[in-house]
Amino acid sequence: MGRSIYTKLVVIILVLIVALMAVVGAFLMGGVRNFYINEFYSRMQEVFASADIAADLRAAAEGEGAAELMANILRANMGRLGVDGSTRNYFILDGETGSCLTGSDMDVGSHLTVTRNILTALSGEEGYAVSAGEDLMDVALPVRGAGGSYIIYIIDNKDLVTELNGELLQIILRAIGIGLLISVGLSLLLAKTMVTPIQHLTRAAEKVAAGDFSEKVDNSAQDEIGVLTRTFNDMADQLEGNIESLKNSEQMRREFVANVSHELRTPVTSIRSYAETLEAAGDSLDPETEQHFLEVIVSESDRMTKIVQDLLLLSRFDAGSLQFDFASFSFEKSIRDVFDAQLLEAQQHHHDFRLSLDGSLPEIRGDRSRIEQVLMNMISNAIKYTHDGGRIRVTAGVKGGEVYCTVRDNGVGIPKEDLNRIFERFYRVDKTRSRATGGTGLGLSIAHEIVERHDGRFTLKSQPGKGTSITVWLPIGGPAHG
Ligand code: ADP
């Protein structure tokens, strides 16, 4: 591709130079020719109109040997007429027949053709007609007297102007030659500033097409190619980022599917094994063990139902098909309701469970039942991940345009490296503990989705072995687009 642009450039510049030179040459040569012709005729008119020469010629025609006399007058004025004996000659012709009587070069004189001007002179008129197309120019003037009738004839074969134009042609050809060299030089320069960056860009584009984003093209020029190069680099970066995030989300999708299968298989396996044992044992099991087996089967079924419900909810979030009912409601009342609902559970684990509000809380705009679901999840996590007899504090207040609710416990805590991940689907720091307490690992991811839809956020502080403090922040006015 580069080569073809390069060749095109050279050809264009070449054609330009040749065309320019041809036009200049044609004008120049035409100009020189016209100048020469005009100069000839105006000089002839000037000389023959001058009183002395005209009078002398008329006087010569009156007597004997008129032709010779006239020739002498012309010879005396050779300089003024520009006669040199080679390109320009003078002749005296017979006024009746047009044949040459005498002149500056008899070789030429004996082969004279009868031109339009000679015919004009033979008819008694002055022949000054310009014959531009022919390779000769002439002037024929009739002179009549008692000594007979004659024609003064000056002829120029234009050799001088032809020679001059030949010389000009040489100069123009030489200029074209130099132009050629210049065009090659210019093309090299153009190639360096245009073709080379395009070649680099092409190579980089080929690599990008093959999935290699490592090559960046360097071009800080302010011209169009510079802009194109930078745009290309930006595009490659963007593409690289997109592909990276696609890979990441593909990876996350695989992990998610693996997690779902695993989470669902576990309860199915235990239900199946308990059911099989019950079936095989028949009546041989004592009623207590039988009752226990049945309870396990029911609780595992409940667990499965919960996982499936949570997954369904999450997939509705993902699909955007879940409607939120945004309305004003009392944040304070919601907190109190959730607190009361969890009181029994907390008491069963002998937790010191208290609620304290920093002043009165305003009404906020949001989906009340979903917000309560978030609060419920925060509190139930605190209860689950705190050893019995722990301390759990629920506090709430207003700050800026937001309300907040903090749930602080002195439970098992979360290691630093897991802090960012607990909102991920199925992520659990301690699988056994979560399972034992009926967790699915989906609670916080659902809470996160809900809070995000409210333009809210979570903040989290935790120390393993010391406890956790999780806070949800919600804008009082609700989400900007909700
Ligand atoms: P789960 O159903 O397992 O409780 P969540 O999504 O609610 O799932 O929480 C994810 C994980 O975050 C939990 O498994 C637990 O490891 C950790 N976690 C959440 N809250 C607390 C807390 N208050 N103290 C310690 N760990 C917590």
Side-chain angles (χ1 to χ4, degrees):
M1 186 201 102
R3 181 136 306 280
S4 103
I5 281 192
Y6 181 72
T7 322
K8 277 181 198 157
L9 279 175
V10 175
V11 170
I12 287 171
I13 293 177
L14 251 168
V15 169
L16 239 148
I17 287 179
V18 171
L20 201 74
M21 286 299 174
V23 171
V24 169
F27 272 99
L28 211 63
M29 285 161 75
V32 167
R33 203 176 176 78
N34 281 342
F35 175 81
Y36 190 74
I37 292 169
N38 289 342
E39 204 269 346
F40 172 79
Y41 284 102
S42 61
R43 184 193 280 234
M44 291 306 134
Q45 254 159 352
E46 187 194 313
V47 171
F48 289 114
S50 67
D52 52 336
I53 294 184
D56 285 353
L57 287 172
R58 262 200 305 280
E62 294 299 330
E64 286 289 311
E68 278 308 317
L69 275 173
M70 285 179 183
N72 284 342
I73 293 168
L74 293 180
R75 193 178 305 120
N77 285 290
M78 264 170 69
R80 283 174 75 180
L81 291 166
V83 171
D84 56 8
S86 59
T87 59
R88 195 174 292 179
N89 284 295
Y90 65 82
F91 298 101
I92 311 295
L93 311 182
D94 186 305
E96 307 295 336
T97 63
S99 60
C100 180
L101 301 173
T102 178
S104 51
D105 185 338
M106 282 313 285
D107 279 350
V108 178
S110 52
H111 297 98
L112 284 179
T113 42
V114 181
T115 65
R116 196 147 62 95
N117 282 336
I118 292 179
L119 288 175
T120 312
L122 284 173
S123 69
E125 301 286 325
E126 291 190 340
Y128 273 115
V130 179
S131 44
E134 293 164 26
D135 57 0
L136 61 86
M137 52 187 178
D138 61 353
V139 169
L141 306 168
V143 184
R144 288 197 173 142
S149 68
Y150 301 92
I151 293 171
I152 309 282
Y153 189 59
I154 314 286
I155 180 167
D156 187 306
N157 60 16
K158 293 188 183 167
D159 272 0
L160 199 67
V161 74
T162 309
E163 212 174 291
L164 205 65
N165 276 346
E167 201 64 42
L168 269 177
L169 194 67
Q170 293 279 321
I171 292 171
I172 287 163
L173 286 178
R174 242 172 284 149
I176 288 179
I178 292 170
L180 222 132
L181 286 179
I182 292 175
S183 85
V184 171
L186 264 177
S187 315
L188 281 175
L189 197 76
L190 271 173
K192 206 173 144 49
T193 54
M194 275 177 63
V195 181
T196 314
I198 290 179
Q199 279 172 336
H200 288 164
L201 209 54
T202 310
R203 255 201 304 281
E206 279 165 0
K207 285 203 166 174
V208 165
D212 175 3
F213 295 91
S214 61
E215 182 153 325
K216 292 281 170 286
V217 195
D218 198 22
N219 191 335
S220 54
Q222 291 303 311
D223 57 15
E224 287 86 346
I225 296 177
V227 174
L228 174 65
T229 308
R230 284 190 291 282
T231 314
F232 175 83
N233 284 342
D234 289 349
M235 183 207 70
D237 282 345
Q238 193 104 30
L239 219 55
E240 194 176 7
N242 285 353
I243 287 178
E244 199 57 39
S245 78
L246 264 179
K247 278 186 191 156
N248 284 345
S249 61
E250 172 63 15
Q251 177 70 17
M252 273 165 72
R253 195 188 63 80
R254 280 172 208 270
E255 277 173 22
F256 182 67
V257 170
N259 279 332
V260 170
S261 328
H262 177 79
E263 293 300 328
L264 291 178
R265 207 178 51 226
T266 323
V268 170
T269 314
S270 66
I271 289 172
R272 190 185 166 84
S273 56
Y274 279 95
E276 275 173 357
T277 317
L278 275 175
E279 192 185 33
D283 290 339
S284 64
L285 279 180
D286 61 284
E288 239 172 74
T289 320
E290 205 177 288
Q291 180 62 27
H292 171 66
F293 280 18
L294 286 172
E295 274 171 16
V296 173
I297 289 175
V298 170
S299 93
E300 287 297 292
S301 310
D302 287 347
R303 195 176 141 66
M304 260 185 89
T305 312
K306 175 132 181 46
I307 292 178
V308 172
Q309 277 172 343
D310 283 356
L311 281 174
L312 203 62
L313 191 63
L314 277 171
S315 82
R316 286 202 182 127
F317 278 127
D318 292 345
S321 63
L322 204 71
Q323 284 299 317
F324 277 68
D325 286 329
F326 289 107
S328 271
F329 69 94
S330 162
F331 189 52
E332 183 174 330
K333 184 166 178 341
S334 283
I335 292 173
R336 287 191 191 283
D337 287 352
V338 174
F339 181 85
D340 292 342
Q342 296 279 326
L343 195 56
L344 196 68
E345 180 77 15
Q347 280 169 354
Q348 275 169 2
H349 291 276
H350 311 292
H351 291 313
D352 170 11
F353 185 49
R354 284 186 213 175
L355 168 69
S356 66
L357 301 180
D358 303 340
S360 70
L361 297 180
E363 293 221 325
I364 65 165
R365 214 172 80 81
D367 186 321
R368 179 187 170 152
S369 64
R370 304 247 175 249
I371 294 295
E372 287 179 1
Q373 189 180 351
V374 171
L375 298 171
M376 189 83 83
N377 187 260
M378 289 161 67
I379 296 176
S380 82
N381 276 347
I383 295 173
K384 280 193 296 188
Y385 300 106
T386 304
H387 299 294
D388 284 3
R391 189 166 30 94
I392 297 170
R393 293 279 176 277
V394 179
T395 50
V398 196
K399 212 171 205 177
E402 291 172 307
V403 289
Y404 67 86
C405 176
T406 302
V407 180
R408 204 172 65 236
D409 61 55
N410 63 348
V412 296
I414 304 163
K416 208 172 160 130
E417 63 270 20
D418 295 310
L419 272 182
N420 285 330
R421 304 201 56 190
I422 62 166
F423 295 100
E424 287 175 17
R425 295 172 188 191
F426 289 121
Y427 194 84
R428 284 163 296 185
V429 178
D430 178 353
K431 277 203 175 12
T432 341
R433 188 178 182 89
S434 161
R435 217 179 120 65
T437 52
T440 59
L442 293 172
L444 280 182
S445 21
I446 292 173
H448 191 253
E449 295 281 353
I450 294 172
V451 169
E452 222 168 43
R453 285 288 290 270
H454 282 78
D455 284 355
R457 65 203 156 92
F458 277 107
T459 51
L460 198 60
K461 268 184 266 174
S462 187
Q463 258 186 305
K466 291 245 168 95
T468 305
S469 161
I470 182 167
T471 305
V472 62
W473 299 81
L474 295 164
I476 293 170
H481 311 282

